[in-house]
C-alpha cells in the first residue's frame, strides 16, 4: 500500500511539473520581458542604483531586490531560450512541493500534492516569486523539522545570503526562522538567527534593500492594484477554498499535536 502511494505521489509530481511547464509556455508572464532586459543591463553595465526604465524620473533611486534572479534569467535565456527557462521554473515549483512532503505520513501525501499543486498553479509563471516558493519551502522544512534543523541549521545564514540577492521574499523566511526558534532559545540557535538576519545586508544596496521590500509590503497601491500582490482573500479560487477547509479541519482534529509556534505560522 505504501509503495502504491509513493508511486502515485511520483506520478502526481510529474504531472504537476508538466502542468506548470505547459502554463509557462502558453501564458507569458507580463513581467518576463522586463526581468530579462534588466538582467541584460546588469550583464552589460553592472548593477544599477537608479531605475533604468524611468523616463519621467530618470534619477529615481531604485533597489532591485531581484538583481541576481534577473541576471540568471538573462543568462539562461541566452543559453536555453524561453523553453529552458520555463522548465527551470517548473522544476523550482515542483521541488518546493517535494521538500514539504518529504517523508511525511504517506496517508496524506497525495492530498498534499494535489492541494499544493492546484493552489500554486494560479500564481505560477516564469517569475522570480517562484524562487521564493522554493526557498520558503526549504527554510520552513529546516526550521520546523527537528532532524533537518540539527543537520542543516548552520547553512541557514548562507541560504539567506543567497535569498536576499534573489528576491525580496526573504522577509517571509526570516519570519518563519524567528517564530520557529521561540522554543529553541540556545546560544547557538540565537546566533544562527541573528547571523541570518544580518547577512541579508550583504547585497549591492545594503539597508536600501530592506526599505524597498518594506515599501512593497506597505504600499496600498501596489497591494490592491497589482494582481499578484493582492491578498489571497481577493483572489480566492476553488482550489484555495478546498485547501483552507481541509487544512483547518485537519488542525482542529489534531490540535494537541501541534506546537504553538506552528499554529502561529499557519
Amino acid at each position: 500500500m505504501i509503495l502504491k502511494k509513493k508511486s502515485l505521489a511520483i506520478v502526481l509530481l510529474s504531472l504537476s511539473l508538466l502542468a506548470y511547464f505547459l502554463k509557462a509556455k502558453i501564458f507569458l508572464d507580463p513581467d518576463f520581458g522586463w526581468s530579462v532586459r534588466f538582467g541584460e543591463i546588469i550583464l552589460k553595465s553592472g548593477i544599477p542604483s537608479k531605475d533604468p526604465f524611468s523616463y519621467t524620473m530618470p534619477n529615481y533611486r531604485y533597489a532591485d531586490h531581484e538583481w541576481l534572479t534577473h541576471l540568471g534569467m538573462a543568462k539562461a535565456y541566452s543559453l536555453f531560450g524561453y523553453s529552458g527557462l520555463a522548465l527551470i521554473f517548473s522544476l523550482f515549483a515542483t521541488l518546493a512541493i517535494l521538500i514539504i512532503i518529504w517523508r511525511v505520513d504517506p496517508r496524506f501525501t497525495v492530498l498534499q500534492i494535489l492541494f499544493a499543486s492546484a493552489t500554486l498553479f494560479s500564481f505560477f509563471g516564469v517569475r522570480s516569486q517562484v524562487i521564493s516558493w522554493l526557498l520558503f519551502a526549504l527554510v520552513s522544512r529546516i526550521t520546523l523539522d527537528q532532524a533537518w534543523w540539527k543537520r542543516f541549521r548552520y547553512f541557514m545564514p548562507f541560504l539567506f545570503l543567497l535569498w536576499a540577492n534573489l528576491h525580496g521574499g526573504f522577509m517571509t523566511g526570516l519570519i518563519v526562522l524567528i517564530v520557529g526558534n521561540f522554543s529553541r532559545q540556545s546560544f547557538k540557535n540565537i546566533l544562527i538567527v541573528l547571523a541570518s538576519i544580518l547577512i541579508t545586508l550583504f547585497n549591492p544596496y545594503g539597508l536600501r534593500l530592506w526599505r524597498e521590500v518594506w515599501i512593497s509590503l506597505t504600499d496600498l497601491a501596489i497591494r490592491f492594484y497589482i494582481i499578484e500582490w493582492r491578498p489571497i482573500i481577493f483572489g480566492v479560487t476553488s482550489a484555495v477554498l478546498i485547501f483552507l477547509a481541509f487544512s483547518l479541519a485537519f488542525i482542529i482534529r489534531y490540535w494537541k499535536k501541534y506546537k504553538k509556534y506552528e499554529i502561529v505560522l499557519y
Side-chain angles (χ1 to χ4, degrees):
M1 182 64 73
I2 293 176
L3 286 175
K4 286 183 178 179
K5 288 186 176 180
K6 285 186 177 180
S7 300
L8 181 57
I10 292 172
V11 171
L12 289 175
L13 284 172
S14 301
L15 289 175
S16 296
L17 175 64
L18 178 61
Y20 291 139
F21 178 74
L22 290 176
K23 184 185 179 184
K25 286 285 290 181
I26 296 171
F27 300 100
L28 182 66
D29 188 272
D31 288 339
F32 175 75
W34 172 79
S35 297
V36 172
R37 181 58 184 145
F38 215 120
E40 291 172 347
I41 290 173
I42 294 172
L43 284 170
K44 183 178 180 180
S45 309
I47 302 169
S49 60
K50 298 176 182 178
D51 189 350
F53 303 121
S54 180
Y55 175 75
T56 56
M57 296 186 296
N59 293 319
Y60 179 75
R61 284 168 62 84
Y62 175 73
D64 180 18
H65 64 85
E66 307 164 317
W67 75 271
L68 190 56
T69 298
H70 292 158
L71 179 64
M73 287 178 67
K75 195 65 179 177
Y77 184 67
S78 66
L79 293 173
F80 312 117
Y82 181 75
S83 295
L85 269 174
L87 179 59
I88 291 170
F89 278 79
S90 299
L91 284 169
F92 287 160
T94 308
L95 281 173
I97 299 171
L98 178 60
I99 288 169
I100 293 301
I101 67 164
W102 187 262
R103 290 187 177 178
V104 298
D105 192 325
R107 293 177 298 170
F108 306 110
T109 302
V110 171
L111 283 175
Q112 286 177 315
I113 295 173
L114 288 173
F115 287 141
S117 299
T119 301
L120 295 179
F121 184 80
S122 300
F123 305 96
F124 178 76
V126 181
R127 56 190 312 118
S128 54
Q129 286 94 328
V130 176
I131 296 176
S132 272
W133 296 356
L134 174 59
L135 294 173
F136 181 83
L138 187 57
V139 167
S140 297
R141 189 60 195 254
I142 294 173
T143 302
L144 301 178
D145 188 310
Q146 191 62 32
W148 281 56
W149 178 257
K150 288 181 179 179
R151 189 173 183 181
F152 300 113
R153 58 181 173 174
Y154 295 112
F155 293 98
M156 197 66 81
F158 301 102
L159 190 60
F160 276 99
L161 174 63
L162 177 64
W163 196 353
N165 287 278
L166 286 171
H167 188 251
F170 72 91
M171 295 286 284
T172 60
L174 287 176
I175 292 171
V176 172
L177 181 65
I178 293 168
V179 174
N181 275 279
F182 278 167
S183 61
R184 302 191 191 111
Q185 296 180 2
S186 70
F187 181 71
K188 288 182 179 179
N189 292 335
I190 291 173
L191 281 181
I192 290 170
V193 173
L194 289 176
S196 299
I197 295 171
L198 293 174
I199 206 166
T200 62
L201 296 175
F202 286 85
N203 66 80
Y205 304 99
L207 276 172
R208 283 176 56 202
L209 174 66
W210 279 66
R211 180 178 179 273
E212 187 70 25
V213 174
W214 178 252
I215 290 173
S216 298
L217 288 173
T218 57
D219 190 322
L220 293 179
I222 291 177
R223 292 192 60 74
F224 290 97
Y225 292 101
I226 299 178
I227 293 176
E228 64 267 24
W229 279 89
R230 288 179 182 174
I232 198 169
I233 58 173
F234 292 101
V236 174
T237 63
S238 56
V240 172
L241 284 174
I242 296 171
F243 165 70
L244 288 174
F246 177 82
S247 59
L248 280 170
F250 197 87
I251 286 177
I252 292 170
R253 173 66 178 81
Y254 298 101
W255 179 267
K256 294 182 180 179
K257 293 189 177 183
Y258 289 99
K259 297 178 178 64
K260 289 182 180 180
Y261 66 82
E262 291 175 329
I263 301 297
V264 169
L265 288 174
Y266 173 77

